[in-house]
Amino acid sequence: MTGSRFFPAFLALLLSASLHAAPAPGQQAVATAHPVATEAAHQILDAGGNAFDAAVAAAATLGVVEPYGSGLGGGGFFLLRQAGIQPDYVFIDARETAPGRAHRDLYRDADGQVQRDIALNGPLAAAIPGLPAALVHLAERYGRLPLATSLAPAIEAAEAGFEVTERYRLLGGFRLAAMQRDPETARLFLRENGLPEVGELIRQPELAQTLRAMAAAGRQGFYAGPVGQRLLEVVQAEGGIWEQADFDAYKVIERQPVRFALQSHEVISAPLPSAGGIALAGVLQGQATLPPAERGSVAWTHQLVELMRRVYRDRAVMLGDADFVEVPVARLTSPEYARSLAESVDPDRATPSAELGLPTGFSEGDNTTHFSLIDADGNAVAATLSINLPFGAAFTIPGTGVILNNEMDDFAADPDGRNEYGLAGGEVNAIAPGKRPLSSMTPTMLESAEELAVLGTPGGSRIISMVLLGTLEALAGEPVEKWVSRPRFHHQYLPDRIQIEEGAFDAQLHDALEALGHRVESAGRDYGDMQAVYWNKRDNRLDAASDPRGVGSAGVRRQLMAD
Ligand code: GLY
């Protein structure tokens, strides 16, 4: 993607009607975190489904073959692009909600201490799942095919089984002790109470049954009937607080995405309860007002890090579920606000986070998954889905195959503390019944008259910085493979450090940044698992790429039904 620097918002909005007018690509592109899910999406597109049916298939299948990343027991966000109809962009918020009996001190013991174990492991850690409702909503409101057709590949995958990968073992390794404590999780996902070997087959017949119940009865197949009853029975027997009223009340919410102009493009991204779109607006619009710096240079990296520091600080202090707390979204996403952030950046010195003022504390987490796809008509979906930590709450409901999320840890259980990802958070993100925990999941699109980019990634608090870096690659006209593979760095205000992927900075860059006052530390070998698709409208070419760090796959095909 190419273009000049900052472009006035009003001009881009005038252009937005023409941005989306283009002939249909006539091909389909899919990138997901697992080859079985990529194939499921293609299969549904080949059967005459649109991008939204394919999204149902991909999401449901990822929940089967990546039990560590997402699933029916979790939630997520779907950013939809509708070709040729209004609204052109829709954001489906399928974030989990706090149960009705939850309260701000849910995880505190008699001494007022937050008990991390119950906040992370077992049924009390689980919020009310949103993914089942989202699959039904997508199929009924946006799809062309019956839900049962789009769920069929996931049912087949659950029955046939999938092969354990190194990634499964890596993520399972983080959660092994918790998984060993729950007999049903251990039975399904461990072997002799240890991690299964690479290549071992994991079958989930109970999950296939739950998916079949949804195929037959829609949302009632999950939130009521035998599946719903079983979920409630076990959660309540094991110390959880879910009730039928929580299931009945659960709704996906259609929201306006965050939208802003950048160069000759429009950026369309996640609104609250994700912090992603607001943070992107601050960094991208802010950097556009700073003196141009070469990509990868010391000045460029310093600018980005300083802006990340500021938007993550805002996140800690100001962001939460806007249906429950006042958040000045219009101000935070405005070019003027971004300019004020940029003006506070000292080009010659890192601003210590403490100088920006300490927040009172907050929370959020990951594992998570992402997929991106475009259909032959130009409809597109970017979806980021989560059960929070790998294997969620490490608790599976017997007879259903449903692994519970531990998304409650994305609230500020302790407004003075940090969550599992070291993120600080505050009162605005405190637990309340029915509230949605603040998220970093950032499904994003960039569109101009000539191009459409669709991207996103898992990665907890680092999701936003990864999407930011991918977006900058896209805007610089780099190929889609580069968006997903470029080395990564991150700053989240606290801890006051630049966290880098091993090898992301050479010695010169590292030393120059430290000389400005930054502290640089390694965040390990690989992080993230970005999935991206690209439509070049000029020559009607599609492209797709899956992050080489993961086990996913990406591909472009001519749509069978179009021939
Ligand atoms: N649980 C990951 C996120 O919502 O960002």
Side-chain angles (χ1 to χ4, degrees), residues 77 95 364-368 386-388 407 410 438-441 460-461 463:
F77 301 135
R95 185 71 162 159
E364 171 266 12
D366 159 79
N367 194 279
T368 304
S386 182
I387 49 176
N388 202 28
E407 221 76 62
D410 280 357
L438 188 61
S439 173
S440 290
M441 294 187 287
S461 56
I463 289 175

Side-chain angles (χ1 to χ4, degrees), residues 4-66:
S4 58
R5 302 284 293 173
F6 172 69
F7 197 72
F10 73 92
L11 196 46
L13 291 177
L14 282 181
L15 284 177
S16 72
S18 61
L19 286 184
H20 311 153
Q27 302 163 74
Q28 62 206 34
V30 179
T32 87
H34 198 285
V36 174
T38 303
E39 193 50 44
H42 276 303
Q43 186 184 321
I44 291 304
L45 291 167
D46 289 346
N50 60 16
F52 314 119
D53 299 305
V56 173
T61 306
L62 285 168
V64 173
V65 297
E66 284 195 313

Side-chain angles (χ1 to χ4, degrees), residues 317-335:
V317 178
M318 287 190 262
L319 302 191
D321 181 346
D323 294 340
F324 284 72
V325 291
E326 285 282 323
V327 182
V329 174
R331 182 166 75 87
L332 292 175
T333 54
S334 69

Side-chain angles (χ1 to χ4, degrees), residues 132-268:
L135 299 180
V136 176
H137 184 79
L138 274 170
E140 288 179 352
R141 177 78 59 95
Y142 295 96
R144 281 188 204 136
L145 301 179
L147 177 67
T149 305
S150 301
L151 290 180
I155 295 171
E156 201 182 308
E159 270 175 350
F162 70 91
E163 289 185 5
V164 169
T165 59
E166 282 297 354
R167 186 172 182 79
Y168 181 108
R169 285 175 53 83
L170 178 77
L171 294 168
F174 293 131
R175 300 287 285 143
L176 184 57
M179 292 167 79
Q180 286 167 336
R181 273 163 40 190
D182 174 45
E184 185 66 355
T185 303
R187 182 182 76 79
L188 285 168
F189 301 110
L190 301 179
R191 294 292 175 268
E192 291 169 15
N193 229 21
L195 292 171
E197 296 300 326
V198 169
E200 281 204 46
L201 213 53
I202 304 291
R203 290 201 176 90
Q204 299 166 84
E206 297 86 355
L207 183 55
Q209 273 306 108
T210 298
L211 286 160
R212 266 200 207 91
M214 286 184 61
R219 89 171 254 153
Q220 296 300 93
F222 183 90
Y223 296 102
V227 172
Q229 274 166 23
R230 183 84 181 129
L231 294 173
L232 293 177
E233 248 168 52
V234 177
V235 164
Q236 289 168 7
E238 299 292 330
I241 53 172
W242 290 5
E243 293 183 330
Q244 185 63 49
D246 297 318
F247 283 179
D248 296 343
Y250 186 84
K251 281 193 194 68
V252 296
I253 301 179
E254 294 208 349
R255 299 189 189 274
Q256 302 269 2
V258 168
R259 300 175 75 149
F260 58 93
L262 195 75
Q263 304 175 353
S264 52
H265 296 87
E266 187 179 20
V267 178
I268 304 102

